[in-house]
Protein backbone atom coordinates (compact mmCIF):
# COMPACT_ATOMS: atom_id res chain seq x y z
CA UNK A 1 0.00 0.00 0.00
CA UNK A 2 1.54 3.27 -1.14
CA UNK A 3 1.73 6.12 1.38
CA UNK A 4 0.14 9.34 0.10
CA UNK A 5 1.29 12.57 1.74
CA UNK A 6 -1.44 14.88 2.99
CA UNK A 7 -0.89 18.42 4.24
CA UNK A 8 -3.14 20.32 6.63
CA UNK A 9 -4.74 23.47 5.25
CA UNK A 10 -4.05 25.32 8.50
CA UNK A 11 -1.12 23.87 10.42
CA UNK A 12 -1.22 26.80 12.84
CA UNK A 13 -4.56 25.55 14.17
CA UNK A 14 -2.95 22.48 15.77
CA UNK A 15 -2.75 22.87 19.59
CA UNK A 16 0.75 22.21 20.94
CA UNK A 17 -0.38 19.33 23.13
CA UNK A 18 -2.08 17.61 20.17
CA UNK A 19 0.75 17.75 17.64
CA UNK A 20 1.76 14.09 17.95
CA UNK A 21 -1.83 12.90 17.68
CA UNK A 22 -2.54 15.06 14.63
CA UNK A 23 0.67 13.88 12.96
CA UNK A 24 -0.37 10.27 13.60
CA UNK A 25 -3.78 10.97 12.01
CA UNK A 26 -2.23 12.80 9.05
CA UNK A 27 0.01 9.84 8.26
CA UNK A 28 -2.79 7.36 8.86
CA UNK A 29 -5.04 9.12 6.35
CA UNK A 30 -2.21 8.87 3.83
CA UNK A 31 -1.96 5.11 4.37
CA UNK A 32 -5.73 4.65 4.20
CA UNK A 33 -6.23 5.71 0.58
CA UNK A 34 -6.78 2.77 -1.77
CA UNK A 35 -7.33 2.47 -5.50
CA UNK A 36 -9.24 -0.49 -6.90
CA UNK A 37 -10.67 0.26 -10.35
CA UNK A 38 -11.41 -3.26 -11.58
CA UNK A 39 -13.81 -5.94 -10.38
CA UNK A 40 -11.75 -8.67 -8.79
CA UNK A 41 -12.72 -11.64 -6.66
CA UNK A 42 -15.29 -10.66 -4.05
CA UNK A 43 -14.87 -6.93 -4.62
CA UNK A 44 -16.22 -4.70 -7.37
CA UNK A 45 -14.09 -1.84 -8.62
CA UNK A 46 -14.60 1.88 -8.09
CA UNK A 47 -13.53 4.66 -10.47
CA UNK A 48 -11.69 6.78 -7.90
CA UNK A 49 -9.49 6.31 -4.81
CA UNK A 50 -11.29 5.84 -1.50
CA UNK A 51 -10.61 5.64 2.23
CA UNK A 52 -10.64 2.54 4.41
CA UNK A 53 -11.21 2.80 8.18
CA UNK A 54 -8.45 0.38 9.20
CA UNK A 55 -5.64 0.15 6.65
CA UNK A 56 -4.18 -2.96 8.30
CA UNK A 57 -7.39 -4.98 8.07
CA UNK A 58 -9.90 -3.60 5.57
CA UNK A 59 -9.68 -3.09 1.83
CA UNK A 60 -13.38 -2.24 1.38
CA UNK A 61 -15.07 1.11 0.80
CA UNK A 62 -17.59 1.41 3.66
CA UNK A 63 -20.63 3.66 3.48
CA UNK A 64 -21.27 5.49 6.74
CA UNK A 65 -17.66 5.28 7.96
CA UNK A 66 -16.71 7.34 4.91
CA UNK A 67 -18.78 10.39 5.89
CA UNK A 68 -16.89 10.85 9.15
CA UNK A 69 -13.57 10.24 7.42
CA UNK A 70 -14.45 12.91 4.81
CA UNK A 71 -15.18 15.39 7.63
CA UNK A 72 -11.51 15.05 8.62
CA UNK A 73 -10.24 14.69 5.07
CA UNK A 74 -11.48 18.18 4.19
CA UNK A 75 -8.99 19.61 6.71
CA UNK A 76 -6.21 18.70 4.24
CA UNK A 77 -5.17 20.52 1.07
CA UNK A 78 -5.45 17.31 -0.92
CA UNK A 79 -8.85 16.59 0.58
CA UNK A 80 -10.87 18.41 -2.08
CA UNK A 81 -9.83 16.11 -4.93
CA UNK A 82 -10.09 12.97 -2.81
CA UNK A 83 -13.52 13.92 -1.42
CA UNK A 84 -14.76 14.67 -4.93
CA UNK A 85 -13.65 11.20 -6.03
CA UNK A 86 -15.37 9.60 -3.04
CA UNK A 87 -18.66 11.35 -3.89
CA UNK A 88 -18.27 10.17 -7.47
CA UNK A 89 -17.75 6.61 -6.18
CA UNK A 90 -21.08 6.82 -4.35
CA UNK A 91 -22.70 8.12 -7.54
CA UNK A 92 -21.20 5.22 -9.49
CA UNK A 93 -22.53 2.66 -7.01
CA UNK A 94 -26.07 4.03 -7.26
CA UNK A 95 -25.92 4.11 -11.06
CA UNK A 96 -24.62 0.54 -11.21
CA UNK A 97 -26.56 -1.13 -8.39
CA UNK A 98 -29.39 1.25 -7.49
CA UNK A 99 -28.02 1.62 -3.97
CA UNK A 100 -24.84 2.26 -2.01
CA UNK A 101 -23.95 -1.14 -0.55
CA UNK A 102 -22.65 -1.68 2.96
CA UNK A 103 -19.23 -1.87 1.26
CA UNK A 104 -17.84 -2.63 -2.19
CA UNK A 105 -18.03 -6.40 -1.83
CA UNK A 106 -20.54 -8.42 -3.81
CA UNK A 107 -21.83 -10.12 -0.66
CA UNK A 108 -22.92 -6.68 0.64
CA UNK A 109 -25.22 -5.89 -2.27
CA UNK A 110 -28.27 -7.14 -0.36
CA UNK A 111 -28.12 -4.20 2.04
CA UNK A 112 -26.94 -0.63 2.31
CA UNK A 113 -25.75 1.15 5.44
CA UNK A 114 -26.82 4.17 7.45
CA UNK A 115 -27.46 6.85 4.73
CA UNK A 116 -24.93 9.66 4.50
CA UNK A 117 -24.50 10.28 0.77
CA UNK A 118 -26.46 13.55 0.63
CA UNK A 119 -24.77 14.65 3.86
CA UNK A 120 -21.36 13.98 2.33
CA UNK A 121 -22.24 16.21 -0.63
CA UNK A 122 -23.49 18.84 1.82
CA UNK A 123 -20.26 18.64 3.84
CA UNK A 124 -18.19 19.06 0.67
CA UNK A 125 -20.25 22.10 -0.41
CA UNK A 126 -19.95 23.61 3.06
CA UNK A 127 -16.22 23.89 2.41
CA UNK A 128 -16.23 24.31 -1.39
CA UNK A 129 -19.49 26.18 -2.01
CA UNK A 130 -18.44 27.47 -5.44
CA UNK A 131 -18.77 23.94 -6.86
CA UNK A 132 -22.54 23.89 -6.30
CA UNK A 133 -23.33 24.16 -10.03
CA UNK A 134 -20.59 21.80 -11.19
CA UNK A 135 -21.99 19.03 -13.44
CA UNK A 136 -20.52 16.31 -11.24
CA UNK A 137 -22.30 17.75 -8.18
CA UNK A 138 -25.57 17.88 -10.13
CA UNK A 139 -25.08 14.25 -11.10
CA UNK A 140 -24.34 13.30 -7.49
CA UNK A 141 -27.47 15.05 -6.21
CA UNK A 142 -29.57 13.23 -8.82
CA UNK A 143 -28.05 9.94 -7.64
CA UNK A 144 -28.77 10.79 -4.00
CA UNK A 145 -32.39 11.56 -4.90
CA UNK A 146 -32.58 8.19 -6.63
CA UNK A 147 -31.21 6.52 -3.50
CA UNK A 148 -33.85 8.30 -1.43
CA UNK A 149 -36.76 7.53 -3.76
CA UNK A 150 -35.94 4.04 -5.02
CA UNK A 151 -34.57 2.63 -1.80
CA UNK A 152 -35.01 4.42 1.52
CA UNK A 153 -38.64 5.43 0.93
CA UNK A 154 -39.68 2.52 -1.31
CA UNK A 155 -42.21 -0.13 -0.39
CA UNK A 156 -41.53 -2.24 -3.48
CA UNK A 157 -41.01 -5.71 -2.03
CA UNK A 158 -39.19 -6.87 -5.18
CA UNK A 159 -35.99 -4.97 -4.46
CA UNK A 160 -36.57 -2.54 -1.58
CA UNK A 161 -39.03 -2.58 1.29
CA UNK A 162 -37.97 0.24 3.54
CA UNK A 163 -41.08 2.38 4.08
CA UNK A 164 -43.42 1.03 6.74
CA UNK A 165 -47.12 1.58 7.45
CA UNK A 166 -46.26 4.58 9.64
CA UNK A 167 -44.76 6.40 6.66
CA UNK A 168 -41.37 6.24 8.35
CA UNK A 169 -38.50 4.07 7.16
CA UNK A 170 -36.70 1.06 8.60
CA UNK A 171 -33.56 -0.96 7.91
CA UNK A 172 -33.96 -4.00 5.71
CA UNK A 173 -32.12 -6.61 3.70
CA UNK A 174 -33.07 -8.29 0.43
CA UNK A 175 -32.68 -11.69 2.09
CA UNK A 176 -36.01 -11.05 3.80
CA UNK A 177 -36.91 -11.80 7.40
CA UNK A 178 -33.39 -11.90 8.79
CA UNK A 179 -33.34 -9.15 11.38
CA UNK A 180 -29.60 -9.48 11.96
CA UNK A 181 -28.83 -8.40 8.38
CA UNK A 182 -31.00 -5.30 8.84
CA UNK A 183 -29.05 -4.60 12.02
CA UNK A 184 -25.83 -4.87 10.02
CA UNK A 185 -27.25 -2.28 7.64
CA UNK A 186 -27.92 0.12 10.51
CA UNK A 187 -24.21 0.12 11.32
CA UNK A 188 -25.05 -0.75 14.94
CA UNK A 189 -23.88 -4.33 14.57
CA UNK A 190 -24.90 -5.44 17.09
CA UNK A 191 -26.97 -3.76 19.80
CA UNK A 192 -29.71 -4.34 22.37
CA UNK A 193 -31.40 -1.22 21.00
CA UNK A 194 -33.34 -3.01 18.26
CA UNK A 195 -34.68 -5.77 20.53
CA UNK A 196 -33.46 -8.43 18.06
CA UNK A 197 -36.22 -7.25 15.68
CA UNK A 198 -34.53 -4.56 13.64
CA UNK A 199 -36.87 -4.78 10.66
CA UNK A 200 -39.82 -4.02 12.96
CA UNK A 201 -38.29 -0.75 14.14
CA UNK A 202 -38.50 2.80 12.77
CA UNK A 203 -35.07 4.08 13.98
CA UNK A 204 -34.97 7.70 15.10
CA UNK A 205 -31.52 8.21 13.59
CA UNK A 206 -32.41 6.79 10.16
CA UNK A 207 -35.51 8.95 9.86
CA UNK A 208 -33.67 12.04 11.09
CA UNK A 209 -31.06 11.44 8.40
CA UNK A 210 -33.77 11.16 5.74
CA UNK A 211 -35.15 14.47 7.02
CA UNK A 212 -31.67 15.91 6.42
CA UNK A 213 -31.75 14.47 2.89
CA UNK A 214 -35.05 16.27 2.26
CA UNK A 215 -33.72 19.49 3.75
CA UNK A 216 -30.55 19.30 1.65
CA UNK A 217 -32.51 18.71 -1.56
CA UNK A 218 -34.81 21.61 -0.69
CA UNK A 219 -31.78 23.87 -0.19
CA UNK A 220 -29.90 22.63 -3.26
CA UNK A 221 -32.79 23.16 -5.66
CA UNK A 222 -33.49 26.59 -4.22
CA UNK A 223 -29.85 27.59 -4.66
CA UNK A 224 -29.75 26.28 -8.23
CA UNK A 225 -33.03 27.95 -9.27
CA UNK A 226 -35.56 25.10 -9.29
CA UNK A 227 -38.24 26.55 -7.00
CA UNK A 228 -40.81 23.87 -7.79
CA UNK A 229 -38.49 21.03 -6.81
CA UNK A 230 -37.39 22.94 -3.70
CA UNK A 231 -40.99 23.34 -2.55
CA UNK A 232 -41.71 19.65 -3.17
CA UNK A 233 -38.81 18.61 -0.95
CA UNK A 234 -39.86 21.15 1.70
CA UNK A 235 -43.28 19.48 1.90
CA UNK A 236 -41.68 16.05 2.27
CA UNK A 237 -39.43 17.40 5.02
CA UNK A 238 -42.36 18.92 6.89
CA UNK A 239 -44.34 15.68 6.58
CA UNK A 240 -41.49 13.58 7.97
CA UNK A 241 -41.06 15.98 10.88
CA UNK A 242 -44.76 15.57 11.66
CA UNK A 243 -44.46 11.76 11.55
CA UNK A 244 -41.34 11.73 13.73
CA UNK A 245 -43.13 13.80 16.34
CA UNK A 246 -46.23 11.65 16.10
CA UNK A 247 -44.50 8.29 16.44
CA UNK A 248 -41.14 8.94 18.14
CA UNK A 249 -41.53 11.86 20.55
CA UNK A 250 -42.44 10.88 24.10
CA UNK A 251 -43.95 13.83 25.91
CA UNK A 252 -43.85 12.15 29.31
CA UNK A 253 -40.17 11.12 29.13
CA UNK A 254 -39.03 14.14 27.14
CA UNK A 255 -37.05 12.26 24.51
CA UNK A 256 -37.31 10.78 21.00
CA UNK A 257 -37.44 6.97 20.93
CA UNK A 258 -37.32 4.39 18.15
CA UNK A 259 -40.82 3.22 17.18
CA UNK A 260 -41.83 -0.44 17.20
CA UNK A 261 -44.13 -0.84 14.18
CA UNK A 262 -45.07 -4.43 14.97
CA UNK A 263 -46.25 -3.67 18.52
CA UNK A 264 -47.42 -0.15 17.69
CA UNK A 265 -45.52 1.55 20.48
CA UNK A 266 -42.20 3.26 21.21
CA UNK A 267 -39.39 0.98 22.34
CA UNK A 268 -38.57 3.06 25.42
CA UNK A 269 -34.89 2.13 24.99
CA UNK A 270 -32.45 5.02 25.44
CA UNK A 271 -29.45 5.44 23.17
CA UNK A 272 -27.25 8.16 21.75
CA UNK A 273 -29.29 7.90 18.55
CA UNK A 274 -31.84 10.16 20.25
CA UNK A 275 -29.45 13.09 19.65
CA UNK A 276 -30.15 12.86 15.90
CA UNK A 277 -33.33 15.00 15.98
CA UNK A 278 -31.16 17.78 17.43
CA UNK A 279 -28.45 17.29 14.82
CA UNK A 280 -31.13 17.40 12.12
CA UNK A 281 -32.88 20.42 13.61
CA UNK A 282 -36.19 18.58 14.01
CA UNK A 283 -36.63 19.23 17.73
CA UNK A 284 -38.31 22.33 19.13
CA UNK A 285 -36.36 24.36 21.66
CA UNK A 286 -38.30 22.73 24.48
CA UNK A 287 -37.84 19.22 23.04
CA UNK A 288 -34.12 19.84 22.67
CA UNK A 289 -33.78 21.05 26.27
CA UNK A 290 -35.64 18.04 27.64
CA UNK A 291 -33.76 15.62 25.37
CA UNK A 292 -30.36 16.93 26.44
CA UNK A 293 -31.32 16.72 30.11
CA UNK A 294 -32.70 13.18 29.75
CA UNK A 295 -29.84 11.77 27.69
CA UNK A 296 -27.03 13.31 29.69
CA UNK A 297 -28.57 11.99 32.89
CA UNK A 298 -28.64 8.45 31.46
CA UNK A 299 -25.66 8.29 29.08
CA UNK A 300 -23.05 10.74 30.38
CA UNK A 301 -19.86 8.94 31.39
CA UNK A 302 -16.21 9.53 32.25
CA UNK A 303 -15.13 9.34 28.61
CA UNK A 304 -18.07 11.00 26.90
CA UNK A 305 -21.42 9.41 26.06
CA UNK A 306 -22.27 5.74 26.35
CA UNK A 307 -23.86 4.40 23.19
CA UNK A 308 -26.89 3.04 25.09
CA UNK A 309 -28.48 2.85 28.49
CA UNK A 310 -27.03 0.30 30.87
CA UNK A 311 -27.66 -3.33 29.93
CA UNK A 312 -26.73 -6.60 31.60
CA UNK A 313 -23.15 -7.83 31.34
CA UNK A 314 -24.00 -10.62 28.91
CA UNK A 315 -25.57 -8.14 26.49
CA UNK A 316 -22.58 -5.80 26.89
CA UNK A 317 -20.24 -8.61 25.91
CA UNK A 318 -22.29 -9.79 22.93
CA UNK A 319 -23.16 -6.37 21.54
CA UNK A 320 -20.37 -3.93 20.80
CA UNK A 321 -22.95 -1.14 20.30
CA UNK A 322 -24.09 -1.34 23.93
CA UNK A 323 -23.07 0.28 27.21
CA UNK A 324 -20.31 0.87 28.33
CA UNK A 325 -18.85 1.49 24.90
CA UNK A 326 -18.70 4.85 23.14
CA UNK A 327 -18.25 5.56 19.44
CA UNK A 328 -16.90 8.60 17.58
CA UNK A 329 -19.86 9.04 15.15
CA UNK A 330 -22.34 9.46 17.99
CA UNK A 331 -20.02 11.88 19.82
CA UNK A 332 -19.99 13.96 16.63
CA UNK A 333 -23.80 13.87 16.30
CA UNK A 334 -24.40 14.68 19.97
CA UNK A 335 -21.84 17.49 20.04
CA UNK A 336 -23.10 19.26 16.93
CA UNK A 337 -26.72 18.59 17.86
CA UNK A 338 -26.34 20.24 21.26
CA UNK A 339 -24.40 23.17 19.81
CA UNK A 340 -27.16 23.78 17.26
CA UNK A 341 -29.59 24.44 20.12
CA UNK A 342 -27.21 26.55 22.21
CA UNK A 343 -26.11 23.92 24.73
CA UNK A 344 -22.50 25.05 24.41
CA UNK A 345 -21.34 24.02 27.88
CA UNK A 346 -22.81 20.53 27.63
CA UNK A 347 -21.42 20.03 24.11
CA UNK A 348 -17.95 21.19 25.11
CA UNK A 349 -17.96 18.87 28.12
CA UNK A 350 -18.78 15.85 25.96
CA UNK A 351 -16.12 16.86 23.45
CA UNK A 352 -13.47 17.40 26.10
CA UNK A 353 -14.14 14.04 27.71
CA UNK A 354 -13.96 12.24 24.36
CA UNK A 355 -10.75 13.97 23.28
CA UNK A 356 -9.17 13.21 26.66
CA UNK A 357 -10.14 9.55 26.26
CA UNK A 358 -8.60 9.37 22.78
CA UNK A 359 -5.47 11.13 24.09
CA UNK A 360 -5.14 8.68 26.98
CA UNK A 361 -5.12 5.63 24.72
CA UNK A 362 -2.90 7.31 22.14
CA UNK A 363 -0.27 8.03 24.80
CA UNK A 364 -0.64 4.49 26.12
CA UNK A 365 -0.65 2.53 22.83
CA UNK A 366 0.44 5.03 20.18
CA UNK A 367 -2.78 4.78 18.17
CA UNK A 368 -6.49 5.55 18.09
CA UNK A 369 -9.19 2.89 18.27
CA UNK A 370 -12.52 2.09 16.65
CA UNK A 371 -14.42 2.27 19.97
CA UNK A 372 -13.72 2.85 23.65
CA UNK A 373 -15.01 1.99 27.10
CA UNK A 374 -16.38 5.35 28.20
CA UNK A 375 -17.51 4.22 31.67
CA UNK A 376 -13.93 3.34 32.71
CA UNK A 377 -11.50 5.05 30.39
CA UNK A 378 -8.51 3.02 31.56
CA UNK A 379 -10.21 -0.30 30.78
CA UNK A 380 -10.55 -2.09 27.45
CA UNK A 381 -13.93 -2.36 25.75
CA UNK A 382 -16.34 -4.98 27.01
CA UNK A 383 -17.12 -6.88 23.83
CA UNK A 384 -16.49 -10.18 22.11
CA UNK A 385 -15.65 -8.05 19.05
CA UNK A 386 -12.14 -6.63 19.49
CA UNK A 387 -11.55 -2.95 18.92
CA UNK A 388 -9.62 -2.19 15.78
CA UNK A 389 -6.65 0.12 15.61
CA UNK A 390 -6.58 3.09 13.30
CA UNK A 391 -9.29 4.25 13.07
CA UNK A 392 -11.06 6.13 10.29
CA UNK A 393 -14.01 7.76 11.97
CA UNK A 394 -12.21 8.27 15.27
CA UNK A 395 -9.51 10.15 13.37
CA UNK A 396 -12.04 12.23 11.43
CA UNK A 397 -14.05 13.23 14.49
CA UNK A 398 -10.86 13.97 16.47
CA UNK A 399 -9.77 16.37 13.72
CA UNK A 400 -13.21 17.99 13.72
CA UNK A 401 -13.10 18.48 17.49
CA UNK A 402 -9.49 19.60 17.84
CA UNK A 403 -9.11 21.74 14.69
CA UNK A 404 -12.55 23.35 14.93
Amino acid sequence: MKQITLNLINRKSVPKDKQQQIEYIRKYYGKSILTNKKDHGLQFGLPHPYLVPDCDFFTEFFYWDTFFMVVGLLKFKEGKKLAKGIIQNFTYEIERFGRIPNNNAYYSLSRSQSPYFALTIKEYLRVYSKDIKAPWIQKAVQAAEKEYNDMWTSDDIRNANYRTETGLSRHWDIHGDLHIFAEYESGWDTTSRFLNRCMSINPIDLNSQLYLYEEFFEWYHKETGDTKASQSWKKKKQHRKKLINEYCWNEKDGVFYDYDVENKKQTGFLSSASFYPLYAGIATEEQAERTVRKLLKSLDAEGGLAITQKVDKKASYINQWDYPNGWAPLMFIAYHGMKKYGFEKEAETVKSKWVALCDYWYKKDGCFYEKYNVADIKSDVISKTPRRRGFGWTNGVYLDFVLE
Side-chain angles (χ1 to χ4, degrees):
M1 188 182 300
K2 183 180 179 182
Q3 171 84 45
I4 296 176
T5 301
L6 299 180
N7 298 282
L8 284 170
I9 292 172
N10 184 9
R11 294 187 63 85
K12 293 181 180 179
S13 65
V14 180
K16 289 184 178 180
D17 64 333
K18 310 296 183 192
Q19 289 179 350
Q20 289 185 356
Q21 294 92 312
I22 298 298
E23 180 63 10
Y24 165 81
I25 292 172
R26 185 187 71 81
K27 290 181 177 178
Y28 202 90
Y29 262 95
K31 294 188 294 183
S32 302
I33 301 165
L34 295 187
T35 301
N36 177 22
K37 292 188 176 183
K38 295 183 179 180
D39 298 351
H40 180 73
L42 293 176
Q43 286 189 7
F44 59 83
L46 295 164
H48 302 281
Y50 58 89
L51 291 165
V52 294
D54 175 353
C55 63
D56 294 320
F57 186 82
F58 294 114
T59 59
E60 297 89 358
F61 176 53
F62 286 89
Y63 189 176
W64 82 309
D65 295 67
T66 296
F67 169 78
F68 298 97
M69 290 189 282
V70 166
V71 167
L73 181 65
L74 291 171
K75 304 287 187 184
F76 297 100
K77 295 176 182 178
E78 298 78 9
K80 180 179 182 180
K81 181 179 179 180
L82 290 165
K84 174 182 176 181
I86 284 168
I87 291 170
Q88 290 174 313
N89 284 339
F90 284 146
T91 303
Y92 169 82
E93 289 183 315
I94 291 171
E95 290 177 341
R96 182 174 176 182
F97 301 111
R99 63 176 57 206
I100 297 173
N102 188 154
N103 61 61
N104 66 318
Y106 287 109
Y107 56 76
S108 291
L109 290 176
S110 64
R111 62 179 178 270
S112 184
Q113 209 174 29
S114 190
Y116 278 90
F117 182 27
L119 308 190
T120 307
I121 303 170
K122 178 183 177 182
E123 186 68 18
Y124 176 91
L125 290 176
R126 185 184 65 81
V127 181
Y128 298 106
S129 58
K130 291 182 180 179
D131 285 359
I132 189 169
K133 294 185 178 180
W136 70 271
I137 285 285
Q138 182 181 19
K139 189 177 180 181
V141 172
Q142 290 172 347
E145 289 180 334
K146 177 178 174 63
E147 178 199 26
Y148 173 95
N149 288 316
D150 294 354
M151 203 191 87
W152 291 112
T153 59
S154 173
D155 52 13
D156 181 351
I157 62 173
R158 294 171 299 177
N159 58 19
N161 193 11
Y162 285 86
R163 186 168 55 193
T164 68
E165 61 192 61
T166 62
L168 297 173
S169 295
R170 64 172 178 172
H171 289 292
W172 190 69
D173 185 281
I174 284 174
H175 287 113
D177 60 347
L178 295 175
H179 291 282
I180 190 64
F181 287 152
E183 201 161 305
Y184 291 161
E185 181 182 79
S186 76
W188 290 53
D189 49 336
T190 55
T191 178
S192 298
R193 172 188 163 198
F194 295 129
L195 314 176
N196 295 317
R197 296 186 295 104
C198 188
M199 288 193 294
S200 301
I201 305 297
N202 289 149
I204 187 59
D205 46 356
L206 169 61
N207 285 283
S208 296
Q209 288 167 259
L210 294 178
Y211 175 91
L212 283 169
Y213 267 55
E214 293 153 352
E215 185 174 68
F216 170 71
F217 296 146
E218 175 197 354
W219 170 84
Y220 174 82
H221 288 297
K222 182 180 179 180
E223 292 295 310
T224 54
D226 190 340
T227 305
K228 184 178 180 180
S230 179
Q231 286 300 311
S232 176
W233 284 108
K234 182 178 181 179
K235 289 178 182 178
K236 291 181 180 180
K237 178 188 78 172
Q238 291 171 336
H239 182 60
R240 185 173 300 276
K241 181 177 181 178
K242 179 176 179 290
L243 293 177
I244 287 173
N245 275 286
E246 178 181 349
Y247 288 104
C248 301
W249 173 251
N250 188 296
E251 179 62 25
K252 180 182 177 182
D253 292 354
V255 73
F256 292 89
Y257 288 120
D258 298 326
Y259 184 76
D260 184 337
V261 180
E262 182 180 350
N263 292 308
K264 295 180 169 50
K265 64 179 183 179
Q266 295 166 353
T267 65
F269 188 91
L270 281 175
S271 77
S272 291
S274 291
F275 279 107
Y276 270 83
L278 277 66
Y279 179 69
I282 294 169
T284 64
E285 296 292 333
E286 180 185 357
Q287 286 175 328
E289 192 275 330
R290 295 183 67 192
T291 296
V292 170
R293 186 167 67 236
K294 176 78 171 182
L295 292 178
L296 290 184
K297 182 179 180 180
S298 299
L299 307 179
D300 189 34
E302 182 183 7
L305 295 169
I307 196 67
T308 68
Q309 65 185 48
K310 290 184 179 180
V311 295
D312 63 54
K313 290 184 178 180
K314 182 179 179 181
S316 292
Y317 177 71
I318 293 172
N319 301 309
Q320 62 175 339
W321 289 82
D322 272 2
Y323 179 93
N325 294 336
W327 295 74
L330 276 299
M331 301 298 166
F332 177 92
I333 296 299
Y335 171 75
H336 287 286
M338 287 190 285
K339 282 198 71 175
K340 181 173 285 190
Y341 284 87
F343 295 96
E344 298 282 344
K345 181 180 178 182
E346 293 83 352
E348 290 298 324
T349 298
V350 167
K351 181 178 79 170
S352 297
K353 287 181 175 182
W354 179 253
V355 170
L357 173 59
C358 294
D359 286 345
Y360 171 81
W361 282 98
Y362 175 79
K363 291 172 184 176
K364 183 176 184 295
D365 293 345
C367 67
F368 287 137
Y369 286 104
E370 171 194 33
K371 56 184 178 283
Y372 296 95
N373 183 334
V374 296
D376 181 357
I377 66 170
K378 295 183 180 180
S379 296
D380 200 349
V381 294
I382 299 174
S383 174
K384 68 176 182 179
T385 308
R387 57 179 177 178
R388 303 203 178 280
R389 297 165 68 98
F391 189 83
W393 57 26
T394 305
N395 297 342
V397 172
Y398 190 93
L399 288 177
D400 179 72
F401 282 0
V402 171
L403 305 183
E404 211 180 359

